[in-house]
Amino acid sequence: YRDFLRDFFEYKKSLRAGFSYRQFSGLVGLKSPNYLQLVIQGKRNMTEETGLRVARALKLSKNEAKHLEALIRLDNAVTEEDKVKAQK
């Protein structure tokens, strides 16, 4: 999901040079202006709830939103059981 967020950000930036992480966070409705930047850099993990906000803001289809949620769940999985569940 980090690659997806990075690619989306870079695409928007290619359309409008002034597009920033602050604007990206605002689009998603996040209070922290650099949260998504930290997620993309691997310094923070995204919650499933925030993933749903991202999916709504980017107008992802239901299947795309479910896929994003599964990727987040897999990345956040601690136990092997959690990883298996996320992969399904």
Coordinates of all heavy atoms in Angstrom, one line a residue:
Y1 N 0.8 -1.2 0.0 CA 0.0 0.0 0.0 C 0.9 1.3 0.0 O 0.4 2.3 -0.5 CB -1.0 0.0 1.2 CG -0.4 0.2 2.5 CD1 -0.4 1.5 3.1 CD2 0.1 -0.8 3.3 CE1 0.1 1.7 4.3 CE2 0.6 -0.6 4.6 CZ 0.6 0.6 5.1 OH 1.1 0.8 6.3
R2 N 2.0 1.2 0.5 CA 2.9 2.3 0.5 C 3.3 2.7 -0.9 O 3.3 3.9 -1.2 CB 4.2 2.0 1.3 CG 3.9 1.8 2.8 CD 5.2 1.4 3.6 NE 4.9 0.7 4.8 CZ 4.5 1.3 5.9 NH1 4.4 2.6 6.0 NH2 4.3 0.6 7.0
D3 N 3.6 1.7 -1.8 CA 3.9 2.0 -3.2 C 2.7 2.7 -3.9 O 2.9 3.6 -4.6 CB 4.3 0.7 -3.9 CG 5.6 0.2 -3.4 OD1 6.4 0.9 -2.9 OD2 5.8 -1.1 -3.6
F4 N 1.5 2.2 -3.6 CA 0.3 2.8 -4.1 C 0.2 4.2 -3.7 O -0.1 5.1 -4.6 CB -1.0 2.0 -3.7 CG -2.2 2.7 -4.0 CD1 -2.7 2.8 -5.3 CD2 -3.0 3.3 -3.0 CE1 -3.9 3.4 -5.7 CE2 -4.1 4.0 -3.3 CZ -4.6 4.1 -4.7
L5 N 0.4 4.5 -2.5 CA 0.3 5.9 -2.0 C 1.4 6.8 -2.6 O 1.1 7.9 -3.0 CB 0.4 6.0 -0.5 CG -0.8 5.3 0.3 CD1 -0.4 5.3 1.8 CD2 -2.1 6.0 0.1
R6 N 2.6 6.2 -2.7 CA 3.7 7.0 -3.3 C 3.4 7.3 -4.8 O 3.5 8.4 -5.3 CB 5.0 6.2 -3.2 CG 6.2 6.9 -3.8 CD 7.5 6.1 -3.7 NE 7.8 5.7 -2.3 CZ 7.6 4.4 -1.8 NH1 7.3 3.5 -2.6 NH2 7.9 4.2 -0.6
D7 N 2.9 6.3 -5.5 CA 2.6 6.5 -6.9 C 1.4 7.5 -7.1 O 1.5 8.3 -8.0 CB 2.1 5.1 -7.6 CG 3.3 4.2 -7.7 OD1 4.5 4.6 -7.6 OD2 3.1 3.0 -8.0
F8 N 0.4 7.4 -6.3 CA -0.7 8.4 -6.3 C -0.1 9.8 -6.1 O -0.5 10.7 -6.9 CB -1.8 8.1 -5.3 CG -2.9 9.1 -5.4 CD1 -3.9 9.0 -6.3 CD2 -2.9 10.1 -4.5 CE1 -4.9 10.0 -6.4 CE2 -3.9 11.1 -4.5 CZ -4.9 11.0 -5.5
F9 N 0.7 9.9 -5.1 CA 1.2 11.3 -4.7 C 2.1 11.8 -5.9 O 1.9 12.9 -6.3 CB 2.1 11.2 -3.5 CG 2.7 12.5 -3.2 CD1 2.0 13.5 -2.6 CD2 4.1 12.7 -3.5 CE1 2.6 14.8 -2.3 CE2 4.7 14.0 -3.2 CZ 3.9 15.0 -2.6
E10 N 2.9 11.0 -6.5 CA 3.8 11.4 -7.6 C 2.9 11.7 -8.8 O 3.3 12.7 -9.5 CB 4.8 10.3 -7.9 CG 5.9 10.2 -6.8 CD 6.9 9.1 -7.0 OE1 6.8 8.4 -8.0 OE2 7.7 8.9 -6.1
Y11 N 1.9 11.0 -9.0 CA 1.0 11.3 -10.2 C 0.4 12.7 -10.0 O 0.4 13.5 -10.9 CB -0.1 10.2 -10.3 CG -1.2 10.6 -11.3 CD1 -0.9 10.6 -12.7 CD2 -2.4 11.0 -10.8 CE1 -1.9 10.9 -13.6 CE2 -3.4 11.3 -11.7 CZ -3.2 11.3 -13.1 OH -4.1 11.7 -14.0
K12 N -0.2 12.9 -8.8 CA -0.8 14.2 -8.5 C 0.2 15.3 -8.6 O -0.1 16.4 -9.1 CB -1.5 14.2 -7.2 CG -2.7 13.3 -7.1 CD -3.9 13.8 -7.9 CE -4.7 14.8 -7.2 NZ -5.9 15.2 -7.9
K13 N 1.4 15.1 -8.2 CA 2.4 16.1 -8.2 C 2.8 16.4 -9.7 O 3.2 17.5 -10.0 CB 3.7 15.6 -7.4 CG 4.7 16.7 -7.2 CD 5.1 16.8 -5.8 CE 6.1 17.8 -5.6 NZ 5.6 19.1 -5.1
S14 N 2.8 15.4 -10.5 CA 3.1 15.6 -11.9 C 2.1 16.4 -12.6 O 2.4 17.1 -13.6 CB 3.3 14.2 -12.7 OG 2.0 13.6 -12.9
L15 N 0.8 16.4 -12.1 CA -0.2 17.2 -12.7 C -0.2 18.6 -12.2 O -0.5 19.5 -12.9 CB -1.6 16.6 -12.4 CG -1.9 15.2 -12.9 CD1 -3.3 14.7 -12.4 CD2 -1.9 15.2 -14.5
R16 N 0.2 18.7 -11.0 CA 0.3 20.1 -10.4 C 1.5 20.1 -9.5 O 1.5 19.5 -8.4 CB -1.0 20.3 -9.6 CG -1.1 21.8 -9.2 CD -2.5 22.1 -8.5 NE -2.4 21.6 -7.2 CZ -3.4 20.8 -6.6 NH1 -4.5 20.5 -7.3 NH2 -3.3 20.4 -5.4
A17 N 2.6 20.8 -9.9 CA 3.8 20.9 -9.2 C 3.7 21.3 -7.7 O 4.5 20.9 -6.9 CB 4.8 21.8 -9.9
G18 N 2.7 22.1 -7.4 CA 2.5 22.5 -6.0 C 1.8 21.6 -5.1 O 1.6 21.8 -3.9
F19 N 1.4 20.4 -5.6 CA 0.8 19.4 -4.8 C 1.7 18.9 -3.7 O 2.9 18.5 -4.0 CB 0.3 18.2 -5.6 CG -0.6 17.3 -4.9 CD1 -1.9 17.6 -4.5 CD2 -0.2 16.0 -4.5 CE1 -2.7 16.7 -3.8 CE2 -1.0 15.1 -3.8 CZ -2.3 15.5 -3.5
S20 N 1.3 18.9 -2.4 CA 2.2 18.6 -1.3 C 1.6 17.5 -0.5 O 0.4 17.2 -0.6 CB 2.4 19.9 -0.5 OG 1.2 20.3 0.1
Y21 N 2.4 17.0 0.4 CA 1.9 16.0 1.4 C 0.9 16.7 2.3 O -0.1 16.0 2.7 CB 3.1 15.5 2.3 CG 3.9 14.5 1.5 CD1 5.2 14.8 1.1 CD2 3.4 13.2 1.2 CE1 5.9 13.8 0.4 CE2 4.1 12.3 0.5 CZ 5.4 12.6 0.1 OH 6.1 11.7 -0.6
R22 N 1.0 18.0 2.6 CA 0.0 18.7 3.4 C -1.4 18.6 2.6 O -2.4 18.3 3.2 CB 0.4 20.1 3.6 CG -0.6 20.9 4.4 CD -0.1 22.4 4.6 NE 1.1 22.5 5.3 CZ 1.1 22.5 6.7 NH1 0.0 22.5 7.4 NH2 2.3 22.6 7.3
Q23 N -1.4 18.9 1.3 CA -2.6 18.8 0.5 C -3.1 17.4 0.4 O -4.3 17.2 0.5 CB -2.3 19.4 -0.8 CG -2.1 20.9 -0.8 CD -1.7 21.4 -2.2 OE1 -1.0 20.8 -2.9 NE2 -2.2 22.6 -2.5
F24 N -2.2 16.4 0.3 CA -2.6 15.0 0.2 C -3.3 14.6 1.5 O -4.4 14.0 1.5 CB -1.4 14.2 0.0 CG -1.7 12.7 -0.4 CD1 -2.9 12.3 -0.7 CD2 -0.6 11.8 -0.4 CE1 -3.1 10.9 -1.0 CE2 -0.8 10.5 -0.7 CZ -2.1 10.0 -1.0
S25 N -2.7 15.0 2.7 CA -3.3 14.7 4.0 C -4.7 15.4 4.1 O -5.6 14.8 4.6 CB -2.4 15.1 5.1 OG -1.3 14.2 5.2
G26 N -4.8 16.6 3.6 CA -6.0 17.4 3.7 C -7.1 16.7 2.8 O -8.3 16.7 3.2
L27 N -6.7 16.2 1.7 CA -7.6 15.5 0.8 C -8.3 14.3 1.5 O -9.5 14.1 1.4 CB -6.9 15.1 -0.5 CG -7.7 14.2 -1.5 CD1 -8.7 15.1 -2.2 CD2 -6.7 13.6 -2.5
V28 N -7.5 13.6 2.3 CA -7.9 12.5 3.0 C -8.7 12.9 4.3 O -9.4 12.1 4.8 CB -6.7 11.5 3.3 CG1 -7.1 10.3 4.2 CG2 -6.1 11.0 2.0
G29 N -8.5 14.1 4.7 CA -9.1 14.5 6.0 C -8.3 14.3 7.2 O -8.9 14.1 8.3
L30 N -7.0 14.2 7.1 CA -6.1 14.0 8.2 C -5.7 15.3 8.8 O -5.4 16.2 8.1 CB -4.9 13.1 7.8 CG -5.3 11.8 7.2 CD1 -4.0 11.1 6.7 CD2 -6.0 10.9 8.2
K31 N -5.5 15.3 10.1 CA -5.1 16.5 10.8 C -3.5 16.7 10.7 O -3.1 17.8 10.6 CB -5.5 16.5 12.3 CG -7.0 16.6 12.5 CD -7.3 16.6 13.9 CE -8.8 16.6 14.1 NZ -9.2 16.5 15.5
S32 N -2.8 15.6 10.7 CA -1.4 15.7 10.6 C -0.9 15.9 9.2 O -1.2 15.1 8.3 CB -0.7 14.4 11.2 OG 0.7 14.5 11.0
P33 N -0.3 17.0 8.9 CA 0.1 17.3 7.5 C 1.2 16.4 6.9 O 1.3 16.3 5.7 CB 0.6 18.8 7.5 CG 1.1 18.9 8.9 CD 0.2 18.1 9.8
N34 N 1.9 15.7 7.7 CA 3.0 14.9 7.2 C 2.8 13.4 7.4 O 3.6 12.6 7.2 CB 4.3 15.3 7.7 CG 4.5 15.0 9.2 OD1 3.6 15.0 9.9 ND2 5.8 14.9 9.6
Y35 N 1.6 13.0 7.9 CA 1.3 11.6 8.3 C 1.5 10.7 7.1 O 2.2 9.7 7.2 CB -0.1 11.5 8.8 CG -0.5 10.0 9.1 CD1 0.0 9.3 10.2 CD2 -1.4 9.4 8.2 CE1 -0.4 8.0 10.4 CE2 -1.7 8.1 8.4 CZ -1.3 7.4 9.5 OH -1.6 6.1 9.7
L36 N 0.9 11.0 5.9 CA 1.0 10.2 4.8 C 2.5 10.1 4.3 O 2.9 9.0 3.8 CB 0.1 10.7 3.7 CG -1.4 10.5 4.0 CD1 -2.3 11.1 2.9 CD2 -1.7 9.0 4.1
Q37 N 3.2 11.2 4.4 CA 4.6 11.1 4.0 C 5.4 10.1 4.9 O 6.2 9.3 4.4 CB 5.2 12.5 4.2 CG 6.7 12.6 3.8 CD 7.3 14.0 3.9 OE1 6.7 14.8 4.6 NE2 8.4 14.2 3.3
L38 N 5.1 10.1 6.2 CA 5.7 9.2 7.1 C 5.3 7.8 6.8 O 6.1 6.8 6.9 CB 5.4 9.6 8.5 CG 6.0 10.9 9.0 CD1 5.4 11.2 10.4 CD2 7.5 10.9 9.0
V39 N 4.1 7.6 6.4 CA 3.6 6.2 6.0 C 4.3 5.8 4.8 O 4.9 4.6 4.7 CB 2.1 6.2 5.8 CG1 1.6 4.9 5.1 CG2 1.3 6.4 7.1
I40 N 4.4 6.6 3.8 CA 5.1 6.2 2.5 C 6.6 5.9 2.8 O 7.1 5.0 2.2 CB 4.9 7.4 1.5 CG1 3.5 7.4 1.0 CG2 5.9 7.2 0.4 CD1 3.1 8.7 0.2
Q41 N 7.2 6.6 3.7 CA 8.6 6.4 4.0 C 8.8 5.2 4.9 O 9.9 4.8 5.2 CB 9.2 7.6 4.7 CG 9.3 8.9 3.8 CD 9.7 10.1 4.6 OE1 9.6 10.2 5.8 NE2 10.1 11.1 3.9
G42 N 7.7 4.6 5.4 CA 7.8 3.4 6.3 C 8.1 3.8 7.7 O 8.4 2.9 8.5
K43 N 7.9 5.0 8.1 CA 8.2 5.4 9.5 C 7.0 5.3 10.3 O 7.1 5.4 11.6 CB 8.7 6.9 9.5 CG 10.1 7.0 8.8 CD 10.6 8.4 8.8 CE 11.9 8.5 8.1 NZ 12.4 9.9 8.0
R44 N 5.8 5.2 9.7 CA 4.5 5.0 10.4 C 3.7 4.0 9.7 O 3.9 3.8 8.5 CB 3.7 6.3 10.4 CG 4.3 7.5 11.2 CD 3.8 7.4 12.6 NE 4.1 8.6 13.4 CZ 5.3 8.9 13.9 NH1 6.3 8.0 13.8 NH2 5.5 10.0 14.6
N45 N 2.9 3.3 10.5 CA 2.0 2.3 9.8 C 0.6 3.0 9.7 O 0.2 3.8 10.6 CB 1.9 1.1 10.7 CG 3.1 0.2 10.6 OD1 3.8 0.2 9.6 ND2 3.4 -0.5 11.7
M46 N -0.1 2.6 8.8 CA -1.5 3.1 8.6 C -2.5 2.1 9.2 O -2.3 0.9 9.1 CB -1.8 3.2 7.1 CG -3.1 3.8 6.8 SD -3.4 4.0 5.0 CE -2.5 5.5 4.7
T47 N -3.5 2.7 9.8 CA -4.6 1.9 10.4 C -5.6 1.6 9.3 O -5.6 2.3 8.3 CB -5.3 2.6 11.5 OG1 -6.0 3.8 11.0 CG2 -4.3 3.0 12.6
E48 N -6.3 0.5 9.5 CA -7.4 0.2 8.6 C -8.4 1.3 8.4 O -8.9 1.6 7.3 CB -8.1 -1.1 9.0 CG -7.2 -2.3 8.8 CD -7.8 -3.6 9.3 OE1 -9.0 -3.9 8.9 OE2 -7.1 -4.4 10.0
E49 N -8.7 2.0 9.5 CA -9.6 3.1 9.5 C -9.1 4.2 8.6 O -9.9 4.7 7.8 CB -9.8 3.6 10.9 CG -10.8 4.8 11.0 CD -10.9 5.3 12.4 OE1 -10.9 4.6 13.4 OE2 -11.1 6.6 12.5
T50 N -7.9 4.5 8.7 CA -7.3 5.6 7.9 C -7.3 5.1 6.4 O -7.5 5.9 5.5 CB -5.9 6.0 8.3 OG1 -6.0 6.4 9.7 CG2 -5.3 7.1 7.5
G51 N -7.0 3.8 6.2 CA -7.1 3.2 4.9 C -8.5 3.4 4.2 O -8.6 3.7 3.0
L52 N -9.5 3.3 5.0 CA -10.9 3.5 4.5 C -11.1 5.0 4.1 O -11.7 5.3 3.1 CB -11.9 3.1 5.5 CG -12.0 1.6 5.8 CD1 -13.0 1.3 6.9 CD2 -12.5 0.8 4.5
R53 N -10.5 5.9 4.9 CA -10.6 7.3 4.6 C -9.9 7.6 3.3 O -10.4 8.4 2.5 CB -10.0 8.1 5.7 CG -10.9 8.0 7.0 CD -10.2 8.7 8.2 NE -10.4 10.2 8.1 CZ -10.0 11.0 9.0 NH1 -9.4 10.6 10.1 NH2 -10.2 12.3 8.8
V54 N -8.7 6.9 3.1 CA -7.9 7.1 1.9 C -8.8 6.6 0.7 O -8.9 7.2 -0.3 CB -6.6 6.4 2.0 CG1 -5.9 6.3 0.6 CG2 -5.7 7.1 3.0
A55 N -9.4 5.4 0.9 CA -10.2 4.8 -0.2 C -11.3 5.7 -0.6 O -11.6 5.9 -1.8 CB -10.7 3.4 0.3
R56 N -12.0 6.3 0.4 CA -13.1 7.2 0.1 C -12.6 8.4 -0.6 O -13.2 8.9 -1.6 CB -13.9 7.6 1.4 CG -14.9 6.6 1.8 CD -15.8 7.1 2.9 NE -15.4 6.2 4.0 CZ -15.0 6.6 5.2 NH1 -14.8 7.8 5.5 NH2 -14.7 5.7 6.1
A57 N -11.5 9.0 -0.1 CA -11.0 10.2 -0.7 C -10.5 10.0 -2.1 O -10.7 10.9 -3.0 CB -9.9 10.8 0.2
L58 N -10.0 8.9 -2.4 CA -9.5 8.6 -3.8 C -10.5 8.0 -4.6 O -10.2 7.6 -5.8 CB -8.2 7.7 -3.7 CG -7.1 8.2 -2.8 CD1 -5.9 7.3 -3.0 CD2 -6.7 9.7 -3.2
K59 N -11.7 7.8 -4.1 CA -12.9 7.2 -4.8 C -12.5 5.8 -5.4 O -12.8 5.6 -6.6 CB -13.3 8.2 -5.9 CG -13.8 9.5 -5.3 CD -14.3 10.4 -6.3 CE -14.8 11.7 -5.6 NZ -14.6 12.9 -6.2
L60 N -11.9 5.0 -4.6 CA -11.6 3.6 -5.0 C -12.9 2.8 -5.0 O -13.8 3.1 -4.3 CB -10.6 3.0 -4.0 CG -9.3 3.6 -3.8 CD1 -8.4 2.8 -2.8 CD2 -8.6 3.8 -5.1
S61 N -12.9 1.9 -5.9 CA -14.1 1.0 -6.0 C -14.1 0.1 -4.7 O -13.1 0.1 -3.9 CB -14.0 0.0 -7.2 OG -12.9 -0.9 -7.0
K62 N -15.2 -0.6 -4.5 CA -15.4 -1.4 -3.3 C -14.2 -2.5 -3.3 O -13.6 -2.7 -2.2 CB -16.7 -2.1 -3.3 CG -17.0 -2.9 -2.1 CD -18.5 -3.4 -2.1 CE -18.8 -4.1 -0.8 NZ -20.2 -4.6 -0.8
N63 N -14.0 -3.1 -4.4 CA -12.9 -4.1 -4.5 C -11.5 -3.5 -4.2 O -10.7 -4.1 -3.6 CB -12.9 -4.9 -5.8 CG -14.1 -5.9 -5.9 OD1 -14.6 -6.3 -4.9 ND2 -14.5 -6.2 -7.1
E64 N -11.3 -2.4 -4.8 CA -10.0 -1.7 -4.6 C -9.8 -1.3 -3.1 O -8.7 -1.5 -2.6 CB -9.9 -0.4 -5.5 CG -9.8 -0.7 -6.9 CD -10.0 0.5 -7.8 OE1 -10.7 1.4 -7.4 OE2 -9.5 0.5 -8.9
A65 N -10.9 -0.9 -2.5 CA -10.8 -0.5 -1.1 C -10.6 -1.7 -0.2 O -9.8 -1.7 0.7 CB -12.1 0.2 -0.6
K66 N -11.2 -2.9 -0.6 CA -11.0 -4.1 0.2 C -9.5 -4.6 0.0 O -8.9 -5.0 1.0 CB -11.9 -5.2 -0.3 CG -13.3 -5.1 0.2 CD -14.1 -6.3 -0.2 CE -15.3 -6.5 0.6 NZ -16.1 -7.7 0.2
H67 N -9.0 -4.4 -1.2 CA -7.6 -4.8 -1.4 C -6.6 -3.9 -0.6 O -5.7 -4.4 0.0 CB -7.3 -4.7 -2.9 CG -5.9 -5.1 -3.3 ND1 -5.6 -6.5 -3.3 CD2 -4.8 -4.5 -3.6 CE1 -4.3 -6.6 -3.7 NE2 -3.8 -5.4 -3.9
L68 N -6.9 -2.6 -0.6 CA -6.1 -1.7 0.2 C -6.1 -2.1 1.7 O -5.1 -2.2 2.4 CB -6.5 -0.3 0.0 CG -5.8 0.8 0.8 CD1 -4.3 0.9 0.4 CD2 -6.4 2.2 0.6
E69 N -7.3 -2.4 2.2 CA -7.5 -2.8 3.6 C -6.7 -4.1 3.9 O -6.1 -4.2 4.9 CB -9.0 -3.0 3.8 CG -9.3 -3.4 5.3 CD -10.8 -3.6 5.5 OE1 -11.6 -3.4 4.6 OE2 -11.1 -4.0 6.6
A70 N -6.8 -5.0 3.0 CA -6.0 -6.3 3.2 C -4.5 -6.0 3.2 O -3.8 -6.7 4.0 CB -6.4 -7.3 2.1
L71 N -4.0 -5.2 2.3 CA -2.6 -4.8 2.3 C -2.2 -4.2 3.6 O -1.1 -4.5 4.2 CB -2.3 -3.9 1.1 CG -2.3 -4.5 -0.2 CD1 -2.2 -3.5 -1.3 CD2 -1.3 -5.7 -0.4
I72 N -3.0 -3.3 4.1 CA -2.7 -2.7 5.4 C -2.7 -3.7 6.5 O -1.8 -3.7 7.4 CB -3.7 -1.5 5.7 CG1 -3.5 -0.4 4.7 CG2 -3.6 -1.0 7.1 CD1 -4.6 0.6 4.6
R73 N -3.7 -4.5 6.5 CA -3.9 -5.6 7.6 C -2.6 -6.5 7.5 O -2.1 -6.9 8.6 CB -5.2 -6.4 7.4 CG -5.5 -7.2 8.6 CD -6.8 -8.0 8.4 NE -7.9 -7.1 8.0 CZ -8.7 -7.3 6.9 NH1 -8.4 -8.3 6.1 NH2 -9.6 -6.5 6.6
L74 N -2.2 -6.9 6.3 CA -1.0 -7.8 6.2 C 0.2 -7.1 6.7 O 1.0 -7.7 7.4 CB -0.9 -8.1 4.7 CG 0.3 -9.0 4.4 CD1 0.2 -10.4 5.1 CD2 0.4 -9.3 2.9
D75 N 0.4 -5.8 6.4 CA 1.6 -5.1 6.8 C 1.6 -4.9 8.3 O 2.6 -4.9 9.0 CB 1.6 -3.7 6.1 CG 2.9 -3.0 6.4 OD1 4.0 -3.5 6.0 OD2 2.9 -1.9 7.0
N76 N 0.4 -4.8 8.9 CA 0.3 -4.6 10.4 C 0.3 -5.9 11.2 O 0.3 -5.8 12.4 CB -0.9 -3.7 10.7 CG -0.8 -2.3 10.2 OD1 0.3 -1.8 10.0 ND2 -1.9 -1.6 10.1
A77 N 0.2 -7.0 10.5 CA 0.0 -8.3 11.2 C 1.3 -8.6 12.0 O 2.4 -8.4 11.6 CB -0.2 -9.4 10.1
V78 N 1.0 -9.1 13.2 CA 2.1 -9.4 14.1 C 2.3 -10.9 14.2 O 3.4 -11.3 14.1 CB 1.7 -8.9 15.6 CG1 2.8 -9.3 16.6 CG2 1.5 -7.4 15.6
T79 N 1.2 -11.6 14.3 CA 1.4 -13.1 14.3 C 1.2 -13.7 13.0 O 0.7 -13.1 12.0 CB 0.3 -13.7 15.3 OG1 -1.0 -13.5 14.6 CG2 0.3 -13.1 16.6
E80 N 1.7 -14.9 12.9 CA 1.6 -15.7 11.6 C 0.1 -15.9 11.3 O -0.3 -15.8 10.1 CB 2.3 -17.0 11.8 CG 2.9 -17.6 10.5 CD 3.6 -16.7 9.6 OE1 4.6 -16.0 10.1 OE2 3.3 -16.7 8.4
E81 N -0.7 -16.1 12.3 CA -2.1 -16.3 12.1 C -2.8 -15.1 11.4 O -3.6 -15.1 10.5 CB -2.8 -16.6 13.4 CG -4.3 -16.9 13.3 CD -5.0 -17.2 14.6 OE1 -4.3 -17.6 15.6 OE2 -6.2 -17.1 14.7
D82 N -2.4 -13.9 11.9 CA -2.9 -12.6 11.4 C -2.5 -12.5 10.0 O -3.2 -12.0 9.1 CB -2.4 -11.4 12.2 CG -3.0 -11.4 13.6 OD1 -4.0 -12.0 13.9 OD2 -2.4 -10.7 14.5
K83 N -1.2 -12.9 9.6 CA -0.7 -12.7 8.3 C -1.5 -13.6 7.3 O -1.9 -13.2 6.2 CB 0.8 -13.1 8.2 CG 1.6 -12.0 8.9 CD 3.1 -12.4 8.8 CE 3.9 -11.4 9.6 NZ 5.3 -11.7 9.6
V84 N -1.8 -14.9 7.8 CA -2.6 -15.8 7.0 C -4.0 -15.3 6.7 O -4.5 -15.3 5.6 CB -2.6 -17.2 7.6 CG1 -3.6 -18.1 6.9 CG2 -1.2 -17.8 7.6
K85 N -4.6 -14.7 7.7 CA -5.9 -14.1 7.6 C -5.9 -13.0 6.6 O -6.8 -12.9 5.8 CB -6.5 -13.7 9.0 CG -6.9 -14.7 9.9 CD -7.5 -14.1 11.2 CE -7.9 -15.2 12.2 NZ -8.3 -14.6 13.4
A86 N -4.9 -12.1 6.7 CA -4.8 -11.0 5.8 C -4.6 -11.4 4.4 O -5.2 -10.8 3.4 CB -3.7 -10.1 6.2
Q87 N -3.9 -12.5 4.2 CA -3.6 -13.0 2.8 C -4.8 -13.5 2.2 O -5.0 -13.5 0.9 CB -2.5 -14.0 2.8 CG -1.1 -13.3 3.1 CD 0.0 -14.3 3.2 OE1 -0.2 -15.5 3.6 NE2 1.2 -13.8 3.0
K88 N -5.7 -14.1 3.0 CA -7.0 -14.6 2.4 C -7.9 -13.5 2.0 O -8.6 -13.6 1.1 CB -7.7 -15.5 3.4 CG -7.0 -16.8 3.7 CD -7.7 -17.7 4.7 CE -6.9 -19.0 4.9 NZ -7.6 -19.8 5.8

